[in-house]
């Protein structure tokens, strides 16, 4: 079953095409990653899918409901964690949760029950009555995520969920996202971290200049360009990448390289290689 | 869920924040009107008559209208601007099943509350200086109702402006170019009868003029200005429609 389906979706800001003819399907129950550099159109896509931005053209359905025609039904079934966290810093964690539960129409007893449950789920109970600004970056992320889970959404959008987190906090958050997914929540996340997309996502879509240039399982995407990559540095100037289906072919290629090629690295390919191969650019934009 | 519970849910957040800072919020909103009251009413205006009444009695309802205007406008617009531009928490409301009407009214209510508290405090201070303003209990009741209506209209104005203006710089320009001139020109400190008819006609296109006229007429026992009442309701409706337009313009 499709949790998200877009057909020929476009969003223009003046002459800039932020989303250019996007055709995308996200299956219920999966963790889908949207990978691409800043400005690729990832956040705009999330804003359109979550009713925050009107599309210029094309159709969008979320959970089987058309976003333009039935936005209220869409709103009831989604949870969204924005890149900027969108917590009210004049309130405590509990007050933020209380507010978000109220606007999701949870009654008083359900509000109390869900807030208690979720605070325990993310081990934030002892920080519940602290002002949001006093929490660490990882705790703020967790608080923002539980705020979006109060009404038990079927589909959770995470926009760059681990930006600004240290390595440990990032890995803890990955475990948390996996746990949510295991409990039945479909996850749609955007990221510009290659590792995050590879280790966390069942399928990955690669965005570039508003266009979806590839979508598949990370392993399949790597296989398509070649599982093994040989990096060579010629005249200490430019790095060249050559892709091979297996290590034997790569070794044979290295043996035949001219003597002036000095630095040679043979390694497994990753999604960054897929991105470079498809676009000629790095995910970071260089 | 009905509209009223949604309105309260939206209002709840701002109420909670106000609960944390209520002393400073009220104190700061009273400083300027109290200075106006002392400087213009009690100092400069002593012994002067305007339209047949003492200047003090004339200026007090004007300052009450001005207080309702500035406190309600700023009370509704400033938090909304912060939520929209810095915390981004306003997006959460837009992505929730709460209706546009509930968002608009809920966001205006904090302005109404803050405006009503400050304007009532100024009215009571004015009564202490000019007890003749207490014409009758009925006129005082009508005065308070009109003051609440003023706060609501000006809070809607604040919500509309905060929704339409996308930057802190833009908001600052709006305050300097629109709010500040309104403060002084809309018949708050002087009678519009002193102005040429063209200037008077222009000022009737500003909402504070009608609020000041309504409050002054009620408290001075003058005939009720129905034209200003209708005009003021039209302003309120226009601001509400403006808010709906601003919300629909961006989100689905």
């Amino acid at each position: 079953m499709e949790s998200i389906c877009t057909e020929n979706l476009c969003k223009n800001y003046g002459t800039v095409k932020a989303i250019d003819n996007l055709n995308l399907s996200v299956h219920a129950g999966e963790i889908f990653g949207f990978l691409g550099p800043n400005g690729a159109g990832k956040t705009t896509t999330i804003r359109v899918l979550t009713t925050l931005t009107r599309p210029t053209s094309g159709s969008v359905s979320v959970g089987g409901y058309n976003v333009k025609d039935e936005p209220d039904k869409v709103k009831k079934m989604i949870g969204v964690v924005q890149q900027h966290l969108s917590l009210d810093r004049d309130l405590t964690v509990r007050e933020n949760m209380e507010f978000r539960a109220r606007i999701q129409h949870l009654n008083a007893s359900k509000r109390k029950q869900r807030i208690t449950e979720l605070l325990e789920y993310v081990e934030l109970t002892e920080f519940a009555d602290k002002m949001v600004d006093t929490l660490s970056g990882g705790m703020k992320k967790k608080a923002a995520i539980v705020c979006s889970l109060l009404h038990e959404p079927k589909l959770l959008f995470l926009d760059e969920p681990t930006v600004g987190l240290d390595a440990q906090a990032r890995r803890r958050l990955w475990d948390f996202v996996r746990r949510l997914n295991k409990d039945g929540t479909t996850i749609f996340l955007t990221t510009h971290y290659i590792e995050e997309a590879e280790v966390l996502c069942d399928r990955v879509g690669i965005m570039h200049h508003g266009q979806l240039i590839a979508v598949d399982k990370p392993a399949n995407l790597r296989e398509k360009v070649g599982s093994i990559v040989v990096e060579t540095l010629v005249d200490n100037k430019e790095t060249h990448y050559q892709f091979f289906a297996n290590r034997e072919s790569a070794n044979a290629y290295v043996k035949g390289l001219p003597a002036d090629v000095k630095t040679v690295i043979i390694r497994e390919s990753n999604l960054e290689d897929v991105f470079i191969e498809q676009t000629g650019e790095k995910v970071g934009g260089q | 869920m009905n509209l009223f519970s949604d309105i309260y849910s939206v209002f709840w957040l701002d109420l909670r924040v106000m609960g944390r800072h209520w002393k400073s919020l009220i104190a700061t909103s009273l400083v300027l009107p109290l200075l106006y009251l002392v400087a213009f009413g009690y100092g400069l205006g002593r012994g002067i008559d305007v339209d047949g009444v003492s200047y003090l009695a004339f200026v007090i309802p004007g300052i009450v209208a001005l207080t309702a205007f500035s406190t309600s406008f700023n009370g509704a617009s400033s938090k909304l601007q912060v939520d929209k531009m810095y915390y981004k928490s306003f997006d959460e409301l837009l992505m929730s099943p709460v209706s546009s009407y509930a968002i608009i009214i809920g966001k205006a209510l904090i302005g109404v509350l803050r405006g009503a508290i400050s304007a009532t405090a100024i009215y009571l201070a004015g009564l202490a200086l000019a007890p003749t303003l207490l014409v009758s209990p009925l006129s005082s009741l009508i005065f308070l109702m009109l003051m609440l209506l003023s706060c609501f209209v000006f809070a809607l104005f604040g919500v509309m402006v905060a929704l339409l203006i996308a930057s802190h710089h833009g908001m600052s320009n709006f305050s300097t170019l629109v709010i500040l001139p309104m403060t002084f020109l809309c018949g708050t400190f002087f009678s519009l009868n002193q102005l040429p008819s063209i200037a008077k006609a222009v000022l009737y296109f500003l909402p504070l003029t009608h609020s000041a006229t309504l409050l002054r007429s009620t408290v001075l026992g003058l005939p009720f200005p129905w034209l200003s009442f209708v005009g003021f309701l039209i302003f309120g409706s226009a601001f509400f429609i403006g808010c709906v337009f601003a919300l629909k313009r961006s989100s689905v």
Side-chain angles (χ1 to χ4, degrees):
Chain A
M1 187 196 158
E2 302 305 332
S3 195
I4 297 171
C5 185
T6 73
E7 283 176 16
N8 305 320
L9 176 64
C10 294
K11 176 64 192 176
N12 301 339
Y13 292 105
T15 55
V16 177
K17 290 182 173 180
I19 306 173
D20 187 4
N21 228 28
L22 178 68
N23 291 290
L24 175 72
S25 291
V26 174
H27 312 315
E30 72 176 338
I31 302 181
F32 185 88
F34 230 27
L35 178 69
N38 292 331
K42 307 186 300 287
T43 298
T44 307
T45 304
I46 280 205
R47 289 183 67 85
V48 170
L49 295 174
T50 57
T51 75
L52 274 179
T53 297
R54 277 177 193 279
T56 305
S57 61
S59 74
V60 188
S61 77
V62 172
Y65 300 111
N66 187 297
V67 169
K68 270 189 202 165
D69 301 336
E70 298 174 289
D72 286 345
K73 286 182 177 163
V74 172
K75 288 172 181 180
K76 279 181 183 163
M77 62 167 302
I78 61 169
V80 186
V81 182
Q82 299 193 77
Q83 197 173 339
H84 296 285
L85 294 185
S86 65
L87 294 166
D88 196 310
R89 279 171 259 161
D90 292 322
L91 299 178
T92 65
V93 174
R94 192 189 301 279
E95 286 169 335
N96 268 286
M97 293 178 78
E98 173 79 22
F99 171 64
R100 298 282 287 277
R102 281 174 181 270
I103 61 173
Q104 286 294 345
H105 298 159
L106 269 60
N107 63 35
S109 63
K110 186 76 178 169
R111 284 201 298 269
K112 197 176 172 191
Q113 178 212 327
R114 286 294 289 160
I115 290 170
T116 308
E117 270 174 19
L118 285 167
L119 284 170
E120 283 172 9
Y121 188 68
V122 292
E123 297 164 358
L124 277 181
T125 305
E126 62 179 299
F127 300 96
D129 297 311
K130 302 260 184 216
M131 299 299 284
V132 165
D133 259 349
T134 65
L135 304 182
S136 69
M139 284 181 186
K140 278 182 196 163
K141 288 275 180 187
K142 277 187 180 177
I145 293 176
V146 291
C147 279
S148 67
L149 294 174
L150 287 153
H151 58 297
E152 300 175 71
K154 290 187 174 71
L155 173 60
L156 181 64
F157 291 90
L158 300 168
D159 191 6
E160 303 278 2
T162 59
V163 164
L165 296 187
D166 60 43
Q168 264 193 331
R170 182 176 298 173
R171 277 166 174 74
R172 277 201 297 271
L173 199 73
W174 290 348
D175 289 339
F176 177 51
V177 171
R178 284 192 195 100
R179 193 150 49 111
L180 282 176
N181 180 245
K182 209 175 166 188
D183 291 344
T185 311
T186 304
I187 311 278
F188 181 101
L189 67 89
T190 70
T191 183
H192 61 266
Y193 294 127
I194 302 297
E195 188 192 1
E196 186 160 283
E198 289 198 326
V199 303
L200 197 56
C201 301
D202 299 314
R203 287 194 311 136
V204 172
I206 298 179
M207 283 287 275
H208 184 58
H209 295 323
Q211 292 182 322
L212 185 67
I213 56 172
V215 57
D216 209 331
K217 291 178 179 173
N220 292 350
L221 287 170
R222 286 196 305 269
E223 261 179 40
K224 277 177 194 165
V225 296
S227 305
I228 304 296
V229 60
V230 176
E231 282 184 35
T232 55
L233 189 66
V234 181
D235 297 335
N236 285 329
K237 279 182 186 167
E238 204 176 336
T239 309
H240 290 268
Y241 301 88
Q242 198 71 38
F243 296 92
F244 299 93
N246 52 53
R247 201 164 278 272
E248 290 72 31
S249 315
N251 286 337
Y253 169 75
V254 170
K255 276 178 192 166
L257 284 171
D260 62 327
V261 178
K262 287 180 180 164
T263 307
V264 176
I265 298 167
I266 304 175
R267 58 168 174 80
E268 288 189 354
S269 62
N270 58 33
L271 290 177
E272 173 111 23
D273 298 314
V274 176
F275 188 82
I276 292 169
E277 187 64 7
Q278 297 272 354
T279 66
E281 294 174 23
K282 285 193 169 185
V283 176
Q286 289 89 37
Chain B
M1 282 287 158
N2 61 41
L3 182 69
F4 293 107
S5 67
D6 273 354
I7 289 170
Y8 181 69
S9 294
V10 177
F11 182 43
W12 181 89
L13 178 136
D14 293 333
L15 206 54
R16 206 76 184 180
V17 174
M18 187 183 163
R20 254 191 199 105
H21 310 288
W22 68 273
K23 285 179 192 163
S24 63
L25 286 173
I26 292 171
T28 50
S29 69
L30 288 177
V31 172
L32 203 57
L34 280 174
L35 286 173
Y36 286 144
L37 198 60
V38 172
F40 289 111
Y42 208 63
L44 195 68
R46 253 186 154 178
I48 302 172
D49 282 356
V50 177
D51 289 350
V53 293
S54 77
Y55 184 70
L56 187 63
F58 175 86
V59 85
I60 285 171
I63 294 175
V64 171
L66 171 63
T67 308
F69 168 59
S70 60
T71 313
S72 301
F73 180 89
N74 290 326
S77 64
S78 58
K79 179 73 171 81
L80 179 50
Q81 280 255 304
V82 170
D83 289 353
K84 201 178 87 160
M85 284 194 268
Y86 301 108
Y87 297 169
K88 308 280 182 191
S89 54
F90 188 65
D91 281 351
E92 300 305 331
L93 271 175
L94 298 179
M95 289 186 289
S96 75
V98 171
S99 73
S100 299
Y101 302 142
I103 293 175
I104 294 163
I105 297 170
K107 279 290 166 192
L109 282 182
I110 196 65
V112 176
L113 179 66
R114 285 178 56 181
I117 292 171
S118 299
T120 305
I122 293 298
Y123 176 53
L124 293 175
L127 279 183
L129 291 174
T132 51
L133 287 174
L134 196 61
V135 178
S136 69
L138 180 64
S139 72
S140 289
L141 185 67
I142 295 170
F143 181 86
L144 289 174
M145 300 288 279
L146 289 171
M147 193 182 73
L148 274 179
L149 175 69
S150 297
C151 291
F152 187 59
V153 170
F154 294 135
L156 283 175
F157 188 28
V159 172
M160 183 187 79
V161 171
L163 288 174
L164 288 173
I165 292 180
S167 71
H168 184 67
H169 180 67
M171 199 70 189
S172 169
N173 283 347
F174 188 83
S175 289
T176 308
L177 296 173
V178 180
I179 302 299
L180 194 61
M182 274 177 72
T183 303
F184 287 97
L185 297 178
C186 290
T188 43
F189 295 109
F190 56 86
S191 169
L192 294 185
N193 294 331
Q194 298 165 359
L195 295 175
S197 44
I198 288 181
K200 200 172 163 183
V202 170
L203 291 177
Y204 272 104
F205 281 98
L206 295 171
L208 183 56
T209 306
H210 299 288
S211 171
T213 305
L214 283 163
L215 292 176
R216 185 169 288 131
S217 302
T218 311
V219 88
L220 295 179
L222 303 171
F224 191 77
W226 284 104
L227 208 59
S228 274
F229 183 68
V230 173
F232 200 53
L233 290 181
I234 291 171
F235 271 110
S237 308
F239 294 149
F240 187 80
I241 292 166
C243 291
V244 174
F245 164 77
L247 277 182
K248 295 284 176 198
R249 190 180 62 156
S250 53
S251 61
V252 176

